[in-house]
Amino acid sequence: MNAAPKRSEAGAAGAGRDPAGALSAARAEVIAEARAGRIIGGEFRRELETVYEAWLVQRARELGIVDGSGFAVVAVGGLGRRELVAYSDLDLVLLHDERYPDQIAEKADGLWYPIWDSGVGLDHSVRSIPEVLRVAREDTSAVLGLLDARFIAGDEDLAALMIASVRNLWRIEARTRLPELVESARARWERAGDIAQRAEPDLKNGRGGMRDVQLLNALALAQLTDGLARLSPERSGSPVAHAYERLLDVRTEQHLIAGRAREQVRAQDADQIAAALDLGDRFDLARVISGAGRTTEFAVDTGLRTAANAVGRRGVSRLRRLPARRPLDEGVVEHQGEVVLARGAMPSQDYGLVLRVAAAAARNELPINGPTLERLARYAQPIPEPWPAEPLSDLLVLLSSGPSMAAPIEALDRIGLWETMFPEWAGVRDLPPRDSVHTWTVDRHLVETVANAASLTTSVSRPDLLLLGALIHDIGKGRGGDHSEVGAELAVGIGSRLGLWPQDVRTLSDMVAHHLVLPAVATRRDPSDPAVIESVAETLGDDRVLTELLGALAEADSKATGPGVWSDWKASLIGTLVRRVCAHIGGAVIPQQEALSAELAAQAESGGVHVRLEAGEGPTTYLATLIAPDQPGLLSKMTGVIALAGLHAHSAQVCSHAGSAVNSFVVMPTFGDPPDVQVLRQRLLAAIDGRLDVTAQLDERDTAAAARNPGGSAVPVARVLAPPRASWVNDAASGTVLLELRSVDRPGLLARVTGVLEREGADVRWAKVSTLGSTVVDTFCVDLAPDTPAVRETIADAVLTVCPAAGSTA
C-alpha cells in the first residue's frame, strides 16, 4: 500500500522532536485503519511492523546506535517473527560489545523511556553476547525466544554474530535439553488446555496454539525433525503454516476488538471476529480454530516423537542392543514404539500400504512415525476404484479397533491422506455442532460413533455395514438441507467407490437416510403400538438386516453424542422396537450351502489328497483348496494346516462330495509370500496320518511368540471389544441344524472352533465362513446325536471358550 511508507516516514520524522508521541500517533493511525476495515490480517501486521521498525531505526540513529558503533537493537518475540498484533509488547535486546560500558545506560534509557511513554508494552534487556549465551543456556523459554532474533538497527555484524551463536548453541544442546523442553510444553498445555476443545481457547499458549508452532520450528532448527517436510511451518503450503496464519489472523482481530492484549477468544467476541475475517458466524470461526488447533497439535506431537527418536544415546546406553523391528503386517513393523515401514516397503507400488499402516497402529495402540507419514503422503498411490477386497478389509480392521483407531485416522487426515480416500470428509472436518448436546465436532463425532460401534459388531449379521454406516451417518451435515437425505445420496457414491455389492450400497444409503428413525419413534411414540411397528417396518422396507443395523447404530450414535444421551430407558425402548419390528417383518434369511463347481466335484470323485493354491482377486489374496477322503477330525486338521502355514483365512466354503471333504479358503499370508503348495500338501498328509498334531503346534506357536516378545506378540494384538455370540437356528425347509458364530477374529480361530465341534460330537456337513474386518460371521451346518437343548448349550459354550472374550487381546 502507498499509506505504509507515509506512516513510517511520519513516525520516523517525529522521533527526534517527540519520540514517544510520534510512536504513539503512528501506531494509533494503523490501528484506526484496521478498525475501519481498510486493512486486516497480514496487511495490518505488516503496516504495524513498518511503523515500529522505522521508529526504532530513526531513534537508534539519533542515539548513535549505528553500524560499527558496538551497539545493536535486536528484536525477538513478535517483532522478531514479523507477526506483531495491535497490543503486542515489543521484545527488544540492546546488544553491546563491551567496549563502551560508560555509554550503555545512556543509550538504553534513550531507547526504552520513549517506548514506555508512548504506551507501547515493552520487554527489554541489555546484554553482551556472552550474557546472551548464558541466558540461553539457563532458560529454555528464553532460548526459544532468542531463536527468533532479528537485526533491527545499529551494528549488523554484532547482531549477526549473536544470532548465529545462539542458534549454534541450540543445535549443540537441543538433544540434552529435549526432556526439559517437553516438560515445559506439557506444563503449558496443562494450564491452557486444548484450543480445539475449549469454548474460549488460548490461541497463544494452548495445546495446538501458536507457541507449539514455534516449538516445532525450534526442533527443526536443531535438525531433530528431519523427514517432516510436509509438517514444517517454514514450507510454503504446509498445513501447519496455514494453520498458524489462521490463528494469527484471529489473534489480530481479538486484540483489535478487545482494545488490549488478549490471548483467549471470548465467546461474546466470536461473531465480530468472524465477520471481520469474512468467515461467516461464530460457528465458522470455531471450525477454523478447531482445524488449526488439531493440525498443529498433530504436528507437534509427531515432531516431539520424531525428535525423541532422533536423540542419540550416549555413554553406556550405546552398548545396549538396539530395539528390534517387530513385524505387524505386510510391509509394516514396530520400531522404538512407533509404526514404521519395513525396509522393503514401496508406497509407490503398494496402494494398500496406507490402510495397513493405520490398521496396525490402531490394533497395537501405537503412533505412526512422522517420517513414515511424510513418505506415505508423498509417494502413496491412490486405491483403484472400485476398491479391491484387501484395502476394504484393512479399512474395516481399522474401524473395528475401537477408541484406538481415532489417532491413526487423525494422523491420516492431518497429513492429507484420509481425504484422498473419503473426499466427502472435507465437508464435515472440524464442523462445529449446532446443537449444544453434541460434545464433538462432526468429524470427531463420526469417529467416536465408529469406536462405539466396534463393541457391537457381534450383535449384527453385517458388522462391516455397521462400521461403515457409523463412519458416514452424518456425512451430509454442513451442506444445507436435510443431512440424512443429503448423506444418503453421498453414501451411494461412497459405497460404490469402496467396492460394495449393489445391495450393500443400498443398505448403506438406507442406514444414513433412516439413522434417526428408531430413536425418534422409540422416544416419541408407543413402540408397542402395532400401527407404529407396521409404520416403521414399512419405512425401512421390511428389511430385517437394516432394522438390526439401525438399532446398533442408534446406540453407537447416542453414546458418541454426549453424556446422558444414551440411557437404560432409551436402550430398552429402542431394543423393544427393534425386536417387534423384526418379528413383524418375519423370518431371517437362512444361509444355504453353495453349489460345488464341476471341476472340484470331478477332483473329489477322483479320490486322493489334492492341494491347490491359486492367485486370488487381490495382489496378496490367494485361493487355497484342500481335498481329501473324509474322516472324523479332518476339517480341524485342514484349517490347522492353513493357520500353521501363516495363512489367514478370510472366508471359506466347506462341504463334502463323493466321500471327500472339499474345502476352499480365501487366504492372505500374514507376512511375505505364501508357502509352496507341495509343502502345504505334505503338512496336510502328516496331519491326516497323525504325524502332525495341529492343535499342539498352534499352542506351541502361541507360547513361543509370547516368550520371544513378553510385552506383546509376534502378530498384531488388538483389545477385544465385542463379546462372542453363538446361536442355533433350525432350517425347517431342509431339516438342518445351523450353529451361527459371531466373534472377533484371532490367528487360528477357525481351526480351534472346528476342533471343538469335532470333540463335542458335532459332525460338520458344510460351513460358510466370512471375516468382515476383525469380525467373523460363520455358519456351520451340523449333525447332532443326540440333538437336545442340553447338547446344544454344551457345544455353544465350548465354542465360545476358544473365541476371544471381551476385554481380552486377540
Side-chain angles (χ1 to χ4, degrees):
M1 290 184 61
N2 294 328
K6 293 179 180 178
R7 274 194 286 271
S8 64
E9 290 165 8
R17 298 188 300 273
D18 179 10
L23 178 59
S24 179
R27 182 181 72 155
E29 184 180 353
V30 178
I31 292 175
E33 289 281 295
R35 285 180 172 154
R38 289 188 282 272
I39 51 176
I40 64 170
E43 187 179 6
F44 165 72
R45 293 190 294 274
R46 287 188 293 274
E47 293 277 352
L48 194 61
E49 175 196 331
T50 299
V51 164
Y52 282 150
E53 288 198 24
W55 186 93
L56 286 168
V57 169
Q58 177 62 25
R59 185 59 183 161
R61 187 180 298 117
E62 293 168 355
L63 294 170
I65 303 174
V66 295
D67 194 24
S69 65
F71 290 88
V73 179
V74 177
V76 294
L79 184 58
R81 293 187 298 270
R82 300 183 184 275
E83 57 186 42
L84 278 176
V85 295
Y87 296 97
S88 292
D89 288 351
L90 283 178
D91 292 340
L92 300 173
V93 177
L94 178 58
L95 188 66
H96 63 89
D97 63 5
E98 302 182 289
R99 287 187 295 161
Y100 308 106
D102 56 321
Q103 298 181 21
I104 293 176
E106 177 186 356
K107 295 186 185 302
D109 291 347
L111 194 60
W112 307 147
Y113 277 102
I115 297 175
W116 285 323
D117 293 343
S118 72
V120 175
L122 176 65
D123 188 355
H124 64 91
S125 62
V126 180
R127 304 194 191 281
S128 64
I129 291 179
E131 290 171 336
V132 168
L133 295 178
R134 184 172 63 250
V135 170
R137 283 194 175 97
E138 295 173 351
D139 188 335
T140 298
S141 61
V143 72
L144 293 181
L146 287 167
L147 293 177
D148 296 321
R150 187 167 61 87
F151 168 74
I152 298 295
D155 195 328
E156 188 168 4
D157 288 343
L158 180 65
L161 178 59
M162 184 211 84
I163 294 170
S165 299
V166 168
R167 294 187 174 190
N168 287 336
L169 177 67
W170 172 245
R171 291 189 185 98
I172 293 169
E173 295 188 347
R175 292 172 179 266
T176 60
R177 300 179 68 172
L178 184 61
E180 179 186 357
L181 193 68
V182 172
E183 183 179 354
S184 174
R186 287 177 176 164
R188 171 169 53 81
W189 296 336
E190 184 69 23
R191 292 191 303 269
D194 291 10
I195 75 168
Q197 304 298 332
R198 292 295 179 100
E200 295 189 334
D202 184 333
L203 301 182
K204 185 175 181 181
N205 300 298
R207 185 175 177 86
M210 297 170 62
R211 286 203 185 278
D212 283 347
V213 180
Q214 294 155 20
L215 172 59
L216 197 58
N217 274 328
L219 295 175
L221 186 62
Q223 299 178 333
L224 292 177
T225 56
D226 291 351
L228 294 178
R230 187 175 296 269
L231 299 179
S232 171
E234 300 296 327
R235 175 179 172 177
S236 176
S238 160
V240 180
H242 179 70
Y244 189 76
E245 189 72 16
R246 295 300 259 171
L247 293 178
L248 191 53
D249 286 345
V250 175
R251 183 172 180 248
T252 299
E253 294 304 322
Q254 177 67 23
H255 272 227
L256 289 169
I257 290 168
R260 62 185 181 85
R262 185 187 294 278
E263 306 310 333
Q264 281 188 295
V265 177
R266 299 182 303 177
Q268 61 265 38
D269 296 334
D271 281 320
Q272 191 175 348
I273 294 173
L277 296 175
D278 198 24
L279 292 177
D281 60 15
R282 59 190 175 92
F283 294 103
D284 300 306
L285 176 67
R287 185 177 193 180
V288 167
I289 295 174
S290 178
R294 287 167 65 179
T295 296
T296 304
E297 182 177 335
F298 163 71
V300 79
D301 284 350
T302 304
L304 286 173
R305 284 201 315 274
T306 302
N309 287 334
V311 171
R313 296 184 299 171
R314 300 174 180 274
V316 176
S317 64
R318 284 176 176 265
L319 303 177
R320 296 174 184 166
R321 181 176 297 177
L322 291 174
R325 296 169 70 88
R326 178 168 69 105
L328 300 177
D329 204 334
E330 185 64 30
V332 187
V333 300
E334 175 196 352
H335 181 63
Q336 291 186 317
E338 293 184 313
V339 174
V340 304
L341 297 183
R343 292 186 176 93
M346 298 288 289
S348 60
Q349 300 177 20
D350 187 351
Y351 56 75
L353 190 56
V354 170
L355 282 171
R356 292 205 302 278
V357 166
R363 285 174 58 81
N364 292 274
E365 299 181 355
L366 295 170
I368 304 174
N369 171 265
T372 293
L373 285 169
E374 174 71 23
R375 187 176 169 195
L376 289 172
R378 181 175 298 180
Y379 299 113
Q381 294 298 301
I383 301 172
E385 296 180 11
W387 285 20
E390 290 132 311
L392 177 58
S393 177
D394 288 323
L395 173 65
L396 294 172
V397 170
L398 169 65
L399 299 182
S400 63
S401 301
S404 62
M405 58 97 184
I409 289 179
E410 179 80 356
L412 295 187
D413 192 27
R414 296 299 151 178
I415 204 73
L417 290 168
W418 189 250
E419 192 173 332
T420 64
M421 295 181 280
F422 295 96
E424 301 83 2
W425 203 258
V428 296
R429 181 185 295 110
D430 300 307
L431 183 66
R434 299 277 169 164
D435 189 340
S436 60
V437 73
H438 279 268
T439 299
W440 306 101
T441 56
V442 175
D443 59 334
R444 184 57 186 267
H445 168 73
L446 293 176
V447 171
E448 291 294 320
T449 303
V450 178
N452 289 316
S455 64
L456 304 172
T457 53
T458 57
S459 70
V460 296
S461 60
R462 291 300 303 272
D464 54 338
L465 294 181
L466 173 61
L467 294 170
L468 293 175
L471 181 67
I472 66 170
H473 73 279
D474 278 344
I475 200 70
K477 285 189 172 181
R479 301 171 187 268
D482 185 326
H483 80 277
S484 297
E485 295 179 3
V486 174
E489 294 181 8
L490 294 174
V492 173
I494 293 171
S496 300
R497 184 168 68 248
L498 295 181
L500 302 183
W501 291 103
Q503 178 57 49
D504 292 342
V505 173
R506 287 193 292 272
T507 301
L508 183 65
S509 178
D510 288 343
M511 287 180 69
V512 177
H514 302 305
H515 72 274
L516 297 176
V517 169
L518 295 183
V521 171
T523 56
R524 298 173 188 172
R525 302 175 67 182
D526 182 1
S528 64
D529 185 343
V532 171
I533 295 169
E534 182 177 2
S535 173
V536 172
E538 182 179 355
T539 298
L540 302 183
D542 291 325
D543 189 331
R544 282 180 58 97
V545 172
L546 176 61
T547 302
E548 69 172 14
L549 285 170
L550 290 176
L553 178 57
E555 178 177 346
D557 187 14
S558 297
K559 289 179 176 177
T561 298
V565 176
W566 186 253
S567 62
D568 292 342
W569 169 76
K570 190 173 183 179
S572 175
L573 290 177
I574 291 180
T576 299
L577 181 60
V578 168
R579 287 191 297 272
R580 288 177 174 171
V581 170
C582 287
H584 174 81
I585 292 172
V589 176
I590 297 177
Q592 302 293 324
Q593 180 180 1
E594 295 183 8
L596 194 64
S597 70
E599 181 185 3
L600 291 180
Q603 204 161 25
E605 291 166 3
S606 69
V609 176
H610 307 276
V611 176
R612 294 165 53 179
L613 190 62
E614 306 165 280
E617 295 182 356
T620 59
T621 301
Y622 298 86
L623 178 63
T625 304
L626 283 65
I627 303 174
D630 206 355
Q631 61 177 266
L634 180 60
L635 179 56
S636 65
K637 293 173 181 177
M638 286 185 170
T639 53
V641 166
I642 290 289
L644 289 174
L647 299 174
H648 183 71
H650 278 248
S651 62
Q653 180 183 350
V654 174
C655 64
S656 60
H657 178 76
S660 289
V662 185
N663 302 331
S664 297
F665 305 86
V666 176
V667 298
M668 292 180 64
T670 305
F671 305 108
D673 297 324
D676 182 82
V677 67
Q678 292 304 321
V679 172
L680 205 59
R681 184 175 184 275
Q682 291 303 317
R683 288 179 177 173
L684 177 59
L685 289 170
I688 293 173
D689 295 344
R691 291 178 286 116
L692 174 64
D693 186 338
V694 293
T695 301
Q697 288 286 314
L698 287 171
D699 290 340
E700 288 178 13
R701 186 183 68 175
D702 291 347
T703 302
R708 286 194 304 270
N709 187 17
S713 169
V715 294
V717 176
R719 190 163 303 282
V720 177
L721 301 172
R725 304 171 192 268
S727 59
W728 294 95
V729 177
N730 294 325
D731 184 1
S734 62
T736 55
V737 176
L738 307 178
L739 174 65
E740 293 190 341
L741 174 66
R742 300 172 188 170
S743 169
V744 172
D745 200 7
R746 58 171 288 194
L749 177 62
L750 183 58
R752 296 179 186 280
V753 169
T754 53
V756 166
L757 292 175
E758 291 161 355
R759 287 194 299 273
E760 295 295 332
D763 183 21
V764 180
R765 294 172 55 184
W766 59 265
K768 294 180 69 174
V769 174
S770 298
T771 305
L772 304 173
S774 296
T775 306
V776 298
V777 180
D778 298 346
T779 301
F780 300 92
C781 177
V782 298
D783 289 332
L784 302 177
D787 183 3
T788 65
V791 168
R792 292 191 180 192
E793 183 179 359
T794 298
I795 293 174
D797 289 344
V799 166
L800 293 179
T801 60
V802 298
C803 297
S808 66
T809 56

